[in-house]
Amino acid sequence: MDNKLFNITKVYKGEIAFNYDIKKLMSWKIGGLVECIAFPKSEQEIIELKEYVEKHEIPYYIIGKGSNILFGNQIFQGLIIYLGKNYTSYNIEEVTGGFKITCSSGLTLAKLGNIAKEEMLSGCEYLSYIPGSIGGAILTNAEAHKQAIGNITTKVKVLDNNRIVEYTKEMCDFKYRSSIFENKSNIVILSIEVYLIKTSKEEISLKMKEAKDYRLSKQPNKPSAGSVFKNHSLGPAGKLIEDAGLKGLKVGDAKISELHGNFITNENMATSEDVIYLIETIRQKIKDKFDIDIELEIKLFNL
Ligand SMILES: Cc1cc2nc3c(=O)[nH]c(=O)nc-3n(C[C@H](O)[C@H](O)[C@H](O)COP(=O)(O)OP(=O)(O)OC[C@H]3O[C@@H](n4cnc5c(N)ncnc54)[C@H](O)[C@@H]3O)c2cc1C
């Protein structure tokens, strides 16, 4: 263990673990040992961690809930800042015409959906079945049933090169599975404000049931990271993969789902190498059959 990393506990007093098996926190259940993982609960703790690793030139990576990342199997020598456990506070305020909810970026979309339901606020019913955090959702403008996080977001607060900066919705440049934050290195999405309007509990329950039923019937019930590729103008990636005859292809314990061609499931003990092999196979077959390049939706780390 690098002494510099161990000494982080001199400046950071929050929850921390060393030699941690990251796979248990990843939705794919894939990943190796990480030297150090911290679970900050406040903006101040995030700043302390980031300043420390930058000062000592220690590699680090931010994880929200780990539902959109292929984390490599080798040991990661550095710090993981995991926000989806303790950095989850929120505040609701009535404003003209509706309600403003300020959420820390580690809050899950499921929790936001439940809060909104309790308060009878509409705008995130479909989003609430995406198994990620607010921060991860903002990065790629997560969306379900045409309801995108960017639609309800009015402000995003980020730590950008150790300065706190507030972005208005317009500055975020939300697009299909993308935002301005995707191409910025060294940023941490700290919190966001969403604007929701009152509706009836019945209407919310109906939409949430629709979202849940859709997922149960269309998505495999095995560890995955959701859609692996972004859709293409030629068609949904899942359909292209199906048309290329790839559904059901298995390498090691990783399998292209029979139910949804854009999902790669971990059937038991899949490794990052198994998944990468399938990803490369899909890319090549799609190129051969349709002469197009499809783009990854998931993020790759430590490969
Ligand atoms: C079964 C299943 C279904 C899914 N369905 C959908 C769907 O319908 N629609 C959809 O859009 N997505 C879907 N996803 C993908 C995923 O859940 C979303 O992209 C989600 O928003 C990712 O959030 P996360 O917290 O898990 O991000 P993570 O996986 O933790 O991180 C993803 C990326 O964001 C970065 N990041 C995370 N938090 C922060 C932060 N606070 N500041 C800076 N960078 C950060 C990470 O470094 C990483 O690069 C699905 C995934 C699964 C497993």
Side-chain angles (χ1 to χ4, degrees):
M1 158 84 54
D2 185 343
N3 246 351
K4 276 193 211 150
L5 195 40
F6 196 70
N7 283 338
I8 200 166
T9 53
K10 290 190 177 149
V11 293
Y12 166 79
K13 302 295 175 197
E15 187 178 347
I16 196 160
F18 294 92
N19 295 321
Y20 189 91
D21 185 359
I22 195 75
K23 76 162 79 64
K24 58 188 165 201
L25 292 180
M26 309 306 290
S27 64
W28 235 329
K29 304 295 168 217
I30 295 175
L33 275 188
V34 302
E35 209 174 5
C36 183
I37 182 166
F39 303 93
K41 62 179 177 309
S42 64
E43 214 170 277
Q44 183 52 34
E45 286 187 349
I46 295 170
I47 293 170
E48 283 164 8
L49 289 165
K50 204 158 167 286
E51 281 182 354
Y52 186 88
V53 286
E54 282 172 357
K55 181 173 165 201
H56 295 282
E57 296 181 337
I58 296 167
Y60 72 96
Y61 190 61
I62 308 290
I63 296 184
K65 266 292 178 184
S67 67
N68 206 26
I69 301 169
L70 177 62
F71 201 110
N73 277 97
Q74 73 214 34
I75 293 176
F76 172 60
Q77 291 179 320
L79 172 74
I80 296 296
I81 303 177
Y82 186 93
L83 301 177
K85 185 174 181 200
N86 298 327
Y87 187 55
T88 56
S89 61
Y90 64 91
N91 180 58
I92 309 177
E93 195 185 317
E94 190 161 4
V95 291
T96 321
F99 285 78
K100 178 175 90 179
I101 309 184
T102 308
C103 326
S104 294
S105 62
L107 190 79
T108 59
L109 292 165
K111 179 72 183 170
L112 174 63
N114 280 333
I115 297 163
K117 186 178 173 190
E118 282 310 303
E119 300 292 330
M120 293 189 283
L121 300 175
S122 179
C124 56
E125 300 87 345
Y126 298 116
L127 287 169
S128 65
Y129 285 95
I130 299 177
S133 71
I134 294 283
I138 287 289
L139 195 86
T140 54
N141 191 22
E143 176 246 307
H145 300 256
K146 302 210 159 46
Q147 191 173 69
I149 186 104
N151 297 350
I152 54 170
T153 301
T154 51
K155 217 181 262 177
V156 179
K157 184 159 107 176
V158 305
L159 186 60
D160 190 348
N161 281 312
N162 298 327
R163 275 185 327 125
I164 291 187
V165 185
E166 283 199 347
Y167 284 71
T168 60
K169 182 200 197 91
E170 292 68 35
M171 288 159 74
C172 294
D173 196 20
F174 290 118
K175 293 191 184 125
Y176 167 70
R177 294 297 192 277
S178 126
S179 75
I180 195 160
F181 307 111
E182 252 202 316
N183 299 320
K184 283 183 173 281
S185 52
N186 289 329
I187 65 129
V188 184
I189 296 158
L190 292 172
S191 62
I192 72 167
E193 283 178 17
V194 298
Y195 177 79
L196 303 173
I197 47 167
K198 273 273 182 210
T199 184
S200 69
K201 222 171 198 168
E202 291 70 38
E203 199 176 312
I204 295 176
S205 298
L206 215 66
K207 286 184 180 170
M208 286 177 89
K209 184 175 178 323
E210 187 194 342
K212 188 176 175 189
D213 291 348
Y214 177 85
R215 279 176 197 271
L216 285 174
S217 66
K218 301 274 189 232
Q219 296 181 356
N221 186 20
K222 295 245 171 89
S224 78
S227 293
V228 174
F229 293 95
K230 293 185 184 181
N231 291 333
H232 190 274
S233 55
L234 213 60
K239 177 78 170 62
L240 299 174
I241 293 166
E242 181 175 350
D243 292 348
L246 291 167
K247 268 181 157 185
L249 183 67
K250 195 171 171 214
V251 171
D253 263 340
K255 185 177 175 189
I256 301 175
S257 169
E258 309 266 10
L259 196 59
H260 191 314
N262 204 11
F263 275 55
I264 295 179
T265 53
N266 179 354
E267 298 292 302
N268 187 19
M269 303 274 281
T271 62
S272 50
E273 289 83 7
D274 297 339
V275 175
I276 287 293
Y277 192 91
L278 282 180
I279 286 174
E280 291 312 326
T281 306
I282 292 170
R283 273 191 167 139
Q284 193 53 54
K285 291 270 184 205
I286 295 284
K287 179 84 181 160
D288 294 346
K289 190 167 171 71
F290 303 106
D291 196 23
I292 56 167
D293 293 308
I294 50 174
E295 206 185 315
L296 277 182
E297 180 169 328
I298 55 157
K299 307 293 176 202
L300 307 178
F301 181 68
N302 194 40
L303 292 163

